[in-house]
Amino acid sequence: MRRRLINAHPTRGVAVFLAALPFLLLLFAYVVGSEARLAENPNDKLLPSFSSIGQGFARMAFEADARTGDVLLWVDTAASLARLMAGLAIATLLAGTLGVAIGLLPYMRASFNSFVAVLAMIPPLAILPILFIIFGLGETSKIALIVIGVAPVIMRDMILRVEELPRELMVKAQTLGASTWQIALRVVVPQMLPRLIDSVRLSLCSAWLFLIAAEAIASQSGLGYRIFLLRRYLAMDTILPYVAWITLLAFLLDFGLRKLQDRAFPWFAEGRKQR
Amino acid sequence: MQKKSRFVAALAIAAMTLTAFAAPASAEKKTEFKLAWSIYVGWMPWGWAADNGIVKKWADKYGITIDVVQFNDYVESINQYTAGAYDGVTATNMDTLAIPSVGGVDTTALIVGDFSNGNDAIILKGKTKLADIVGQKVNLVELSVSHYLLARALESIGKSEKDVTVVNTSDADMVAAWNTKDVTSVVTWNPLVAEIAALPGANKVFDSSKIPGEIIDLTVVNTQTLKDNPNLGRALTGAWYETMAIMSSNTPEGKAAREAMGKASGTDLAGYDMQLASTKMFYMPAQGVEFAMGASLPKTMDSVRNFLFAHGLLGQGAPSADVVGISFPDGKVLGDAGNVKLRFTAAYMNEAAKAAK
């Protein structure tokens, strides 16, 4: 009998090759396109060669800027990561605590559940001008944009996850004499923490999006700022390495959070593997 | 096996589509051309000329078609031109040098349309002297003509960019930014200047009328395309100066044209006339010729290229401001004569001037 496609697994080597294939194809397409354009015009800015991308990266990462004396890549990275971390930390704290409270307490839920749902629907970028007026053009408004963009989504996720907890668990804790506070702290929060990490991981992408959008509008440093500044001069030899760098940072953050989850909550990781 | 090869073929086609998309437009004899323009007081005539059939009339005369396309984003229009998607674009002298010319696209300044004579300005909140700007955060579109204006203004009082902190702020958000507490000084262009200057506490302390002739608005075209198709240059200059003659005439027709241009740029006749007052328009082709041939243009371009070099905009570790050559109508070249990428010409404006007589 013919083997069904859903049961045909690639061997290890084939799997590695298949995983690399899309990357290689993209790279190939880039090289062909870049060479075609460079043959026509050696100074073409749109698809620079890998060597000029490399030089662009080296210039940003290792050479001091002529005007400011800073090595721009690191200054930009530090500025962006500080904003991203501050925004994510505030959003996580806010959404974690409120999410658990709303999910657990019927009175809180009655009052806030639909409010949070509606709040999460507001596109944060649309209210950016208002954020400027309230928080000014400095760091506060950039961090606020990340918080406003990310917190409601994490919060809704937390509410749903708390509601998903087996009813029996609550009943059992109550028969053992636990108060609401004890149930929250001893039963719900430990269950929620690893799920909160999942939720933050999923929010990373939008957090970056809001960070870069905020930096595009008014700033003096940051990865998004640099990209939008250089975009004015079509300096793809610097923009492309910056994009790769942002991708790498995002990947590392995601990876770090996953490792943290594995380490801090081995029971959770184990449960997921068994599924 | 068959499936696999089909899969590979599909991938190859996908890759080829990608590369075809990225392939550059090459110049040759052709009949269809595209011009990109964006909203600015000195470029509004292009939109009006296209809407009123003047561009078509002149294109028909030379048996070609010219598609005049409006861009909402000025920088994007220049980038599209630089990438080869358009044959011409409206741009300032500074951006033309820094984007297409540095990007290796040999570009000819076909029409010198006007120069900013007050359209770009430095505005302070609560302070009245330019010197008060020292130590302040200055919000502006970094690396734009605003940045250049600031550099020239600071130069005029013996200061430099080190004495202020530049904050990159998108022009779309400039007015909103002005209304926030921590913004105390901005550099921007019209119509934003008019809008901000009208607010309480705003004082214009420096504007482009103090550096006349340095911020120049051009209509530029690809040099190779123009060389292969001189009729494109004739049709564009013909349409342009016919429009200039109409809009500058003190007739109901001229007024209606200016009113339409004003409306298209988000203001009215009075608002547009006010912007024109701070723009030195070259309504007559002879004025454009005179300016392009003048002795001040090479000086201005020298100052501009040095500004660009100081800000790292002349490309990959450029050793000096000389890397890109700029040629002038008299044949003189500023910078590398072997790498001329920006050419000022009076030839087509001259032809239009002769035809006008």
Side-chain angles (χ1 to χ4, degrees):
Chain A
M1 204 172 80
R2 272 187 78 220
R3 194 146 59 129
R4 287 183 182 81
L5 214 50
I6 60 159
N7 293 320
H9 292 279
T11 61
R12 178 104 187 110
V14 173
V16 169
F17 170 73
L18 286 178
L21 190 64
F23 292 101
L24 290 175
L25 268 166
L26 187 68
L27 223 56
F28 173 74
Y30 183 90
V31 170
V32 173
S34 167
E35 275 185 3
R37 289 192 68 95
L38 289 172
E40 183 100 352
N41 168 12
N43 289 323
D44 183 61
K45 287 179 153 192
L46 194 66
L47 302 176
S49 68
F50 282 111
S51 71
S52 55
I53 291 179
Q55 280 165 21
F57 182 76
R59 208 173 46 244
M60 299 309 279
F62 307 118
E63 285 171 30
D65 180 54
R67 263 191 322 136
T68 56
D70 294 327
V71 182
L72 295 177
L73 181 72
W74 309 117
V75 173
D76 289 337
T77 306
S80 284
L81 282 184
R83 287 169 194 143
L84 188 79
M85 292 303 183
L88 274 178
I90 295 171
T92 308
L93 206 70
L94 203 71
T97 45
L98 281 175
V100 168
I102 296 170
L104 195 60
L105 305 174
Y107 267 94
M108 286 286 282
R109 202 177 328 155
S111 172
F112 286 113
N113 205 1
S114 358
F115 180 68
V116 172
V118 171
L119 211 60
M121 294 302 155
I122 300 175
L125 288 176
I127 55 164
L128 202 51
I130 305 175
L131 292 186
F132 279 158
I133 308 278
I134 300 174
F135 297 112
L137 282 178
E139 295 300 294
T140 324
S141 58
K142 296 185 190 76
I143 295 170
L145 180 68
I146 299 176
V147 174
I148 291 169
V150 169
V153 179
I154 303 182
M155 207 179 292
R156 290 193 78 194
D157 190 41
M158 281 298 104
I159 297 170
L160 293 173
R161 296 287 92 78
V162 173
E163 285 171 351
E164 259 176 19
L165 282 179
R167 194 73 208 137
E168 296 83 351
L169 215 59
M170 305 293 174
V171 175
K172 195 179 255 176
Q174 286 174 61
T175 52
L176 290 171
S179 67
T180 299
W181 183 242
Q182 280 171 323
I183 291 177
L185 229 51
R186 305 285 283 277
V187 180
V188 180
V189 170
Q191 291 272 344
M192 283 307 117
L193 283 177
R195 293 178 172 90
L196 182 60
I197 292 181
D198 272 346
S199 199
V200 172
R201 278 180 65 194
L202 288 175
S203 306
L204 273 182
C205 188
S206 29
W208 275 103
L209 177 72
F210 294 127
L211 173 76
I212 287 170
E215 286 181 343
I217 284 170
S219 56
Q220 306 159 64
S221 61
L223 298 164
Y225 156 81
R226 194 72 55 196
I227 287 179
F228 274 86
L229 187 60
L230 294 172
R231 165 187 170 269
R232 234 193 117 72
Y233 286 96
L234 209 69
M236 297 308 285
D237 57 335
T238 321
I239 293 177
L240 292 176
Y242 259 67
V243 172
W245 178 245
I246 289 175
T247 312
L248 179 71
L249 287 176
F251 177 81
L252 288 177
L253 274 178
D254 185 65
F255 185 76
L257 282 171
R258 207 181 76 205
K259 283 288 152 203
L260 174 73
Q261 195 183 40
D262 284 358
R263 281 286 172 78
F265 312 99
W267 54 269
F268 186 80
E270 206 53 45
R272 180 172 280 171
K273 255 183 229 153
Q274 275 164 17
R275 223 169 277 158
Chain B
M1 196 60 231
Q2 203 198 349
K3 250 182 204 160
K4 209 178 252 174
S5 60
R6 209 186 294 163
F7 177 65
V8 170
L11 283 176
I13 288 169
M16 262 149 51
T17 321
L18 258 172
T19 50
F21 166 75
S26 48
E28 70 238 21
K29 193 115 186 105
K30 53 182 195 170
T31 56
E32 284 172 24
F33 302 93
K34 282 164 90 179
L35 174 76
W37 71 282
S38 49
I39 299 268
Y40 177 72
V41 49
W43 296 325
M44 297 315 294
W46 276 126
W48 187 84
D51 289 347
N52 288 275
I54 296 177
V55 174
K56 188 178 179 322
K57 183 183 118 189
W58 283 86
D60 286 349
K61 181 176 170 189
Y62 291 103
I64 58 177
T65 62
I66 301 172
D67 200 4
V68 177
V69 181
Q70 187 198 329
F71 273 66
N72 284 325
D73 184 324
Y74 165 62
V75 173
E76 191 53 34
S77 70
I78 304 181
N79 285 351
Q80 288 288 325
Y81 164 77
T82 307
Y86 284 80
D87 303 293
V89 69
T90 55
T92 66
N93 54 330
M94 178 175 135
D95 292 323
T96 305
L97 177 59
I99 311 174
S101 297
V102 170
V105 177
D106 193 333
T107 297
T108 298
L110 182 74
I111 299 171
V112 180
D114 66 90
F115 65 75
S116 171
N117 201 18
N119 263 328
D120 300 76
I122 303 177
I123 309 174
L124 297 188
K125 206 186 256 177
K127 301 277 172 61
T128 51
K129 288 199 311 291
L130 175 60
D132 293 328
I133 204 171
V134 172
Q136 291 206 33
K137 276 190 183 172
V138 185
N139 293 72
L140 50 77
V141 177
E142 230 174 286
L143 308 181
S144 69
V145 288
S146 298
H147 202 162
Y148 176 76
L149 182 76
L150 174 70
R152 295 285 283 125
L154 289 169
E155 227 172 76
S156 76
I157 53 167
K159 301 282 177 192
S160 78
E161 232 184 288
K162 289 196 185 75
D163 299 306
V164 297
T165 311
V166 169
V167 181
N168 188 39
T169 307
S170 136
D171 53 326
D173 297 296
M174 206 56 87
V175 180
W178 176 265
N179 286 314
T180 67
K181 211 167 61 245
D182 43 342
V183 172
T184 54
S185 58
V186 303
V187 188
T188 187
W189 53 77
N190 259 328
L192 303 172
V193 166
E195 208 167 317
I196 293 173
L199 297 170
N203 297 305
K204 257 198 266 181
V205 294
F206 191 89
D207 66 41
S208 52
S209 68
K210 306 227 170 74
I211 52 163
E214 290 194 30
I215 299 174
I216 310 164
D217 303 305
L218 310 167
T219 298
V220 304
V221 289
N222 186 300
T223 300
Q224 193 60 44
T225 307
L226 185 64
K227 211 170 140 194
D228 296 341
N229 309 275
N231 281 342
L232 171 67
R234 291 184 192 116
L236 285 175
T237 41
W240 178 260
Y241 288 110
E242 181 178 338
T243 310
M244 288 294 111
I246 294 170
M247 76 180 280
S248 62
S249 69
N250 219 347
T251 60
E253 198 193 3
K255 206 171 130 189
R258 292 202 307 279
E259 186 162 17
M261 291 178 205
K263 272 204 185 112
S265 61
T267 175
D268 52 14
L269 179 62
Y272 189 65
D273 278 344
M274 196 184 68
Q275 290 178 38
L276 279 177
S278 51
T279 311
K280 172 73 187 121
M281 293 295 295
F282 297 134
Y283 289 118
M284 315 276 280
Q287 294 171 319
V289 172
E290 193 193 337
F291 186 81
M293 308 277 282
S296 63
L297 185 60
K299 274 186 211 142
T300 295
M301 290 316 294
D302 192 37
S303 149
V304 166
R305 71 186 187 136
N306 280 311
F307 171 83
L308 294 177
F309 177 67
H311 288 81
L313 296 176
L314 288 187
Q316 296 278 345
S320 76
D322 282 331
V323 283
V324 180
I326 306 165
S327 74
F328 298 93
D330 60 2
K332 285 215 184 75
V333 173
L334 201 60
D336 185 355
N339 187 35
V340 174
K341 293 294 180 204
L342 174 54
R343 295 163 202 271
F344 284 93
T345 176
Y348 292 87
M349 291 190 288
N350 243 330
E351 232 176 275
K354 287 205 185 93
K357 264 175 202 161

